[in-house]
């Protein structure tokens, strides 16, 4: 990705002017990100095709199966709001503010609940994303099992 694109460890930049079907006013990205779960932000540099959105929705359902409600998925395309899909909140970047903050090319960002980027990549199908999520949501028991076992006696 471009050097100007926010990286893991950076504070996720805000973007104004996002549009969503059924909402009569522009939204801020920070308001959309607000919550206690990690948010997978798919920045589709151009308006997403139906196939792209359908694939993202299928991936979102996979995430829900593996990680429950700990990860929320949203997609932002250029221009008007994207077609609605189950399991994916879709928005449009009509004013170009998200592209200005996150770069012109398509990319995916995992934004932590504290507002910092935990992972970034070119696609949600990147194996590094699932590996990262597996480490973040590793069950506490696995950490306990790595001790010397003295408490198991």
């Amino acid at each position: 990705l471009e050097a100007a694109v926010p990286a893991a460890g950076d504070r996720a930049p805000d973007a104004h002017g996002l549009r969503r079907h059924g909402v009569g006013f522009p939204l801020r990205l920070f308001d959309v990100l607000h919550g206690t779960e990690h948010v997978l932000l798919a920045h589709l540099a151009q308006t997403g095709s139906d196939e792209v959105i359908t694939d993202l929705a299928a991936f979102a359902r996979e995430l829900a199966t593996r990680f429950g409600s700990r990860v929320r998925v949203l997609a932002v395309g250029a221009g008007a709001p994207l077609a609605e899909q189950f399991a994916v909140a879709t928005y449009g970047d009509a004013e170009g503010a998200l592209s200005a903050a996150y770069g012109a090319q398509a990319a995916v960002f995992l934004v932590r609940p504290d507002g910092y980027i935990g992972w970034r990549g070119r696609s949600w199908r990147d194996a590094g994303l699932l590996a990262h999520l597996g480490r973040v949501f590793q069950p506490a028991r696995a950490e306990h099992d790595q001790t010397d076992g003295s408490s198991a006696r």
Side-chain angles (χ1 to χ4, degrees), residues 49-132:
S49 68
D50 289 340
E51 295 83 24
V52 170
I53 298 299
T54 300
D55 183 55
L56 180 57
F59 185 74
R61 290 189 295 275
E62 291 173 31
L63 289 177
T65 300
R66 288 185 73 172
F67 304 111
S69 62
R70 295 180 284 185
V71 180
R72 189 164 39 101
V73 178
L74 64 95
V76 181
L82 299 169
E84 293 291 324
Q85 280 282 340
F86 179 72
V88 178
T90 57
Y91 299 86
D93 183 23
E95 298 176 15
L98 191 106
S99 290
Y102 287 83
Q105 63 189 17
V108 180
F109 303 88
L110 183 68
V111 182
R112 303 182 327 213
D114 64 0
Y116 285 82
I117 296 172
W119 180 91
R120 73 169 186 181
R122 295 185 188 280
S123 171
W124 52 86
R125 293 293 183 182
D126 186 318
L129 173 59
L130 288 178
H132 177 77

